[in-house]
Amino acid sequence: MTAHAWTLAFAFLILGPLLGALLAGLDRILTARMQSRRGPPLLQPIYDVLKLFEKDTLVVTSLQTLYLWGFLLFMAISGFILFLGGDLLLSLFALAVSGILLCLAAYATNSPYSNIGSSRELMLMMAYEPMLLIVPLGFFLVTGSFRVSDIIAGEPWQVLELGGILIGFLFILTIKLRKSPFDLSSSHHGHQELVKGLTTDFSGSDLALVEIGHWYENVILLGWLYLFFAPLGVAWALPISLILFFGEVLVDNTHARLKWAPTLRLSWWVTGLFGVTNLVLLSLFA
Amino acid sequence: MPLIALLILFPLCAGLAVLSTRDIEQRENLVRWLAYGLGGATLLLALLHFRTEPEFFTLGQGLTGALDNLFMLGGIAVSLYLLYACRQIKGREWYIPVLLLVQMGLMLFVELAPEHPVVARPFYLDSFSVLMALIVGVIGGLICIHAVRYMHDYHAHGHGAQEAKTTCPERRRRSFFFMLFVFLAAMFGIVFSNHLLWLFFFWEVTTLCSFWLIAYSGTDEAVRNGFRALGINLIGGVSFAGALVWLTHGPGLHTWELDQLVAAGSALALIPAVLIAVAGLTKSAQMPFSSWLLGAMVAPTPVSALLHSSTLVKAGVFLLVKLAPVFHNTYAGLLLSLIGGLTFLVTSLIAINQRSAKLVLAYSTIANLGLIVMCVGIGTAATLWAAILLIVFHAVAKALLFLAAGTTAHLIGGRDIEDMEGLVYRRPALAAAMLIGILGMFLAPFGMLLSKYATLQAFLTVEVLPLGGVLLAVIIVFGSAPTLFFWSKWMGKLVAVPRRPQPSELPLPRDEAIALFSLAALTTLACALFPLIDWLFIHPYTGSLIGAGLIPALDGHLPWETIATMSFMLAALFLLPILFWLRPPQFQASSGYLSGANVDGSASYRGAMGAEREVASRSYFLTDFIREGMLTRVGLLGSGCLLILMMLTGAIR
């Protein structure tokens, strides 16, 4: 591991939330423009979180804060491994642990809305986990390694070989980013059926932790997307992955929310149709 | 050798001693001390023989002959006892005595053969069998200690059936611990026997013990399930006996020694190995033979814990791991893996449907064993490494979970996961034990992560049939998602804050506390020190197989950074709660959100007509989405076809 890799990893730890906040701000501006609104300033998400820290924190049980810290910690570990050029599978497992801890935090409060929110979140995890796990497998078949540093050093045309997996990944990226039609575990608006779902009973600094965790998560997901194009060089890879990333905003604004059963069925079908087929073809012709 | 003899004889004598003690309290004390002694003896064995090369032991001519006769007569006695027990069979269970007779006939055909292979080295010891002995001795011992108090309450609460109460419960109770100890003795026998006929005898004894223990309560349901377990295990027994007939009378390989069978390789040994693998599949409750393990849930919890963690099902996978070199790089091996994979996928999905804690545990056991079988069928150093680690993690974590579930059921009076809501607040120590068990079963950086890591890598580099490896990897990918769902759902119930205080005054009994905390500590240690387990027991075993040229040289081992990162994550998971406990944040407490209509904290709200209504929310079981019946049928059909295919490809080879 080079000094460069360590710098990048620590840069992620410190600057990751900042970058994530910018992505979130850009997302809000884009959404507003699509709805013919002006939208908030770019730094609005940061203002929001700073304000959350100023507010009183009410908890149903003090343990919920513990689980939330765990969520944030494992999210940071996942990103750290990714940006260090480490093992993609490990990064994925840390991401899963982090997701489970977030659900536990919501379960711990035991209000009906949090309960349904976390149950739905778990169902979403069940929906996207297979596809997310297939991504490293695809990279392994192409480059012979689970290591991010080896994947980056791969052949420029690996994205073509992994076309199906890329499509599958973009599909579940919508779920991971909590975008419509798959935003069924928590909603942006407190007046909807689920109130705020998963985050109903978090407030003040607890809610700020969740927000920061999501900023980290968005950067990690952007990193995963970047990996597909990484061998093309930064000049190509970064713009392409950013465009695809913000393509999700368009999807968000043009779709209504689905129920959990179609979501689960649809994502497993997409995983099977694109992800698995891609893997099978790779193993046959590799 | 003396130690091996001690390990087999000690539990046997212990059982007899327990059987002859009349006084209940005296008997309970005796069981405690004997269990400690047993654990100590296996620890001693492990201390003397870690990192050992395979050692074989010869016995004197006279002793071998005597033991031969003894085990032959013993085998007949076991069969006769089971035949006698068959007087209780009903209607569709007629096949059980038939299987018994067929098996007995086959065995006599083998044993009375005019010319039979001579066994020079009837016992052996290698680092894998030492590890298994450690699991059987230590975990089995702890389960016995838990059972002392548990069975006391079990009878006091009147779980036992009316029939059992009227027909001399005292004798049955005494026999209970006798059977537990005999079970452990037979397990040691399986683990150390190189003589296949003797191994078969011990195999039969475990079948007998499981039948007796499952039917223990004497209710009609228990007896029926006991017979189902017996019937299915006998299918395996007949298949095993068939393998012995092949090895005695068949063309080609003639041997009664396990190591020679394994060393013969797939060209010579595939047919008997496939037949023995069928026996292994029945014991380790793989589809299509999985139903008996679910039926076994009617037994008292310590019995379930014993069957699931350290004894019966582990005997099956133990033998499969031993035979793995034969399966390496064959179609039969790939099909074996697929049977395991299908079992893993189907039972992981079905587990989501289950409400009862014991049933969730049972399905997850079958799923986990499926994962082990998947590894075994591929049979490379990396997958064997994963399989053995899975056996270890599953043994400790599952024993812990079963015992914790049993104790919880006694203390709070409910077997459903829904009843365990708020256990972290109601019974912190018990909940901690259960959470450690769940973490040990599936969450990163524990058991499942390591094994998944190794298996995915191994599957993608498998050579038999390029598609086969990808198929197995995809099975893991789709099977681990439901695993995540049902375990997290369970943890969610445990960590939920109770809406009303639910005090429970019953103290945690001392014996149960000892067993639970030892197992929790063992699970944690196993996770933290798994590289040590690897170095002490697994690496020498795979190393000796590689040295003998039975499996290809080690490739794609876990890089050290991966292990370091995992250890770091594990440490983080433990340090965070400690830090939190040292410096808890001071936040204002509030009640859960009920649209602002809370009446009594989080517990009730003002409903539509102004009436006060209790809050209730339940978990998702997805019964419309995942249909248990249909999935079971698909699983049975698919695995049945795969099984037949496996036997066919074994025969064609």
Side-chain angles (χ1 to χ4, degrees), chain B residues 267-350:
Chain B
L268 282 170
L270 197 59
I271 293 175
V274 164
L275 285 171
I276 297 178
V278 173
L281 289 177
T282 57
K283 274 266 148 124
S284 50
Q286 293 299 289
M287 285 202 154
F289 307 117
S290 57
S291 65
W292 71 263
L293 195 64
L294 303 168
M297 290 296 109
V298 297
T301 303
V303 174
S304 311
L306 203 62
L307 293 180
H308 278 262
S309 64
S310 55
T311 55
L312 202 59
V313 295
K314 290 290 152 47
V317 284
F318 170 78
L319 209 53
L320 287 173
V321 169
K322 282 276 161 192
L323 291 173
V326 181
F327 289 112
H328 175 67
N329 226 349
T330 61
Y331 281 103
L334 186 66
L335 288 163
L336 182 66
S337 284
L338 285 175
I339 292 175
L342 188 65
T343 308
F344 172 61
L345 187 61
V346 169
T347 48
S348 300
L349 283 169
I350 293 178

Side-chain angles (χ1 to χ4, degrees), chain A residues 195-257:
Chain A
V195 190
K196 294 285 279 178
L198 203 59
T199 54
T200 302
D201 291 275
F202 303 147
S203 59
S205 61
D206 272 3
L207 193 55
L209 290 184
V210 177
E211 281 304 314
I212 296 173
H214 285 162
W215 291 346
Y216 269 132
E217 191 172 19
N218 288 357
V219 177
I220 292 170
L221 292 171
L222 185 62
W224 276 62
L225 194 54
Y226 179 86
L227 275 187
F228 282 92
F229 307 98
L232 298 173
V234 186
W236 283 101
L238 197 59
I240 296 178
S241 33
L242 276 175
I243 289 169
L244 287 175
F245 191 82
F246 284 109
E248 299 289 349
V249 180
L250 184 65
V251 176
D252 187 27
N253 282 296
T254 46
H255 285 80
R257 183 181 297 166

Side-chain angles (χ1 to χ4, degrees), chain A residues 1 58-62 67 70 74 87 93 100 107-108 110 112-113 115-116 123 130 140 147 201 264 280 283, chain B residues 421 425 443 449 453 467 470 477 492 495 497 499 561 573 576 580 588-590 592-595 617 620 622 625:
Chain A
M1 260 165 252
L58 293 178
V59 293
V60 180
T61 162
S62 58
Y67 306 127
F74 275 89
D87 206 303
F93 284 121
I100 289 169
Y107 269 125
N110 209 8
Y113 299 106
N115 237 328
I116 296 176
M123 257 172 310
F140 184 86
R147 299 185 57 79
D201 291 275
L264 201 52
V280 167
S283 78
Chain B
E421 186 175 288
Y425 301 87
L443 202 60
L449 161 63
Y453 191 100
L467 218 53
V470 168
V477 161
V495 301
V497 63
R499 297 197 180 95
E561 310 130 41
L573 210 54
L576 202 63
F580 189 82
Q588 199 186 331
S590 157
Y593 182 73
L594 297 173
S595 306
S617 57
Y620 282 54
L622 316 192
F625 191 74

Side-chain angles (χ1 to χ4, degrees), chain B residues 4-237:
Chain B
I4 293 180
L6 176 79
L7 278 180
I8 298 175
L9 289 176
F10 178 80
L12 198 63
C13 299
L16 287 173
V18 172
L19 196 60
S20 62
T21 317
R22 303 262 158 213
D23 181 49
I24 293 182
E25 199 168 325
Q26 211 180 350
R27 185 164 70 228
E28 289 179 349
N29 271 326
L30 189 65
V31 170
R32 279 186 201 114
W33 286 113
L34 289 172
Y36 285 129
L38 192 62
T42 43
L43 279 176
L44 183 69
L45 176 85
L47 272 180
L48 292 176
H49 291 282
F50 66 89
R51 286 193 73 73
T52 181
E53 286 292 305
E55 281 177 57
F56 293 88
F57 303 103
T58 49
L59 298 176
Q61 195 88 49
L63 188 58
T64 312
L67 283 176
D68 257 334
N69 289 327
L70 184 71
F71 286 138
M72 186 172 89
L73 291 176
I76 294 173
V78 168
S79 296
L80 288 178
Y81 174 81
L82 289 174
L83 269 180
Y84 173 68
C86 280
R87 72 192 188 282
Q88 291 186 35
I89 58 169
K90 277 185 187 164
R92 285 175 61 194
E93 290 162 355
W94 56 267
Y95 68 97
I96 295 174
V98 174
L99 283 175
L100 262 171
L101 288 173
V102 171
Q103 179 191 306
M104 204 155 82
L106 287 175
M107 283 316 290
L108 287 176
F109 183 49
V110 169
E111 277 156 351
L112 302 177
E115 277 184 46
H116 62 75
V118 180
V119 177
R121 306 179 298 180
F123 285 106
Y124 76 105
L125 182 156
D126 61 25
S127 53
F128 177 40
S129 58
V130 171
L131 182 64
M132 276 302 287
L134 205 56
I135 291 175
V136 173
V138 173
I139 297 175
L142 285 172
I143 292 172
C144 286
I145 290 173
H146 185 272
V148 169
R149 179 55 197 248
Y150 189 92
M151 294 315 289
H152 195 92
D153 292 351
Y154 182 84
H155 294 117
H157 285 213
H159 278 287
Q162 299 309 317
E163 304 152 57
K165 281 217 174 87
T166 48
T167 60
C168 191
E170 171 56 21
R171 212 183 73 201
R172 252 185 119 71
R173 276 196 219 184
R174 246 186 294 150
S175 312
F176 181 80
F177 283 102
F178 171 68
M179 278 297 179
L180 285 191
F181 280 117
V182 170
F183 208 148
L184 295 180
M187 279 304 293
F188 286 123
I190 290 178
V191 165
F192 292 121
S193 291
N194 192 38
H195 191 315
L196 283 171
L197 262 57
W198 298 4
L199 198 156
F200 183 78
F201 166 73
F202 292 121
W203 189 265
E204 278 310 289
V205 173
T206 60
T207 302
L208 169 78
C209 292
S210 59
F211 162 68
W212 194 91
L213 288 169
I214 293 169
Y216 174 70
S217 72
T219 58
D220 190 54
E221 190 193 7
V223 173
R224 295 282 78 76
N225 289 338
F227 274 113
R228 190 180 331 157
L230 178 62
I232 290 177
N233 275 309
L234 279 174
I235 297 176

Side-chain angles (χ1 to χ4, degrees), chain B residues 350-629:
Chain B
I350 293 178
I352 292 178
N353 277 178
Q354 307 307 318
R355 284 158 201 275
S356 149
K358 277 181 101 177
L359 273 176
V360 173
L361 292 178
Y363 275 111
S364 99
T365 295
I366 303 176
N368 232 276
L369 292 166
L371 207 54
I372 297 173
V373 172
M374 277 174 100
C375 295
V376 168
I378 299 300
T380 62
T383 54
L384 284 187
W385 177 85
I388 296 174
L389 270 181
L390 268 174
I391 290 178
V392 175
F393 282 121
H394 181 255
V396 281
K398 204 39 92 54
L400 174 61
L401 278 172
F402 262 112
L403 296 185
T407 303
T408 310
H410 265 185
L411 293 181
I412 67 173
R415 292 186 173 278
D416 278 10
I417 291 174
E418 300 288 311
D419 299 328
M420 295 181 187
E421 186 175 288
L423 205 65
V424 166
Y425 301 87
R426 293 157 68 189
R427 285 275 172 187
L430 211 50
M434 212 178 261
L435 283 173
I436 288 177
I438 294 179
L439 294 176
M441 276 305 297
F442 96 110
L443 202 60
F446 300 92
M448 289 286 279
L449 161 63
L450 296 169
S451 51
K452 250 193 249 168
Y453 191 100
T455 43
L456 283 175
Q457 193 163 357
F459 288 159
L460 289 183
T461 44
V462 71
E463 307 117 24
V464 193
L465 181 75
L467 218 53
V470 168
L471 205 55
L472 291 174
V474 167
I475 286 174
I476 291 220
V477 161
F478 277 98
S480 47
T483 318
L484 180 145
F485 184 77
F486 72 79
W487 286 122
S488 308
K489 194 172 72 168
W490 187 342
M491 288 201 288
K493 274 289 159 202
L494 294 180
V495 301
V497 63
R499 297 197 180 95
R500 288 185 192 285
Q502 290 164 305
S504 71
E505 295 84 21
L506 287 172
L508 186 60
R510 193 164 156 269
D511 290 323
E512 300 188 11
I514 290 175
L516 285 174
F517 296 139
S518 312
L519 281 170
L522 276 178
T523 311
T524 320
L525 275 180
C527 294
L529 298 180
F530 83 89
L532 188 68
I533 300 177
D534 179 24
W535 182 77
L536 286 176
F537 300 110
I538 305 175
H539 193 259
Y541 176 67
T542 49
S544 69
L545 288 180
I546 293 170
L550 292 174
I551 53 175
L554 219 56
D555 54 335
H557 210 64
L558 278 184
W560 70 268
E561 310 130 41
T562 304
I563 292 178
T565 321
M566 285 178 190
S567 310
F568 177 74
M569 286 200 259
L570 177 71
L573 210 54
F574 271 86
L575 284 179
L576 202 63
I578 294 174
L579 278 179
F580 189 82
W581 180 68
L582 288 175
R583 302 200 57 175
Q586 301 297 331
F587 292 137
Q588 199 186 331
S590 157
S591 46
Y593 182 73
L594 297 173
S595 306
N598 306 41
V599 175
D600 182 11
S602 312
S604 65
Y605 63 100
R606 188 71 58 202
M609 301 300 284
E612 185 181 342
R613 306 188 61 173
E614 279 295 298
V615 175
S617 57
R618 296 273 172 260
S619 298
Y620 282 54
F621 295 95
L622 316 192
T623 36
D624 289 331
F625 191 74
I626 295 161
R627 288 170 207 282
E628 184 179 349

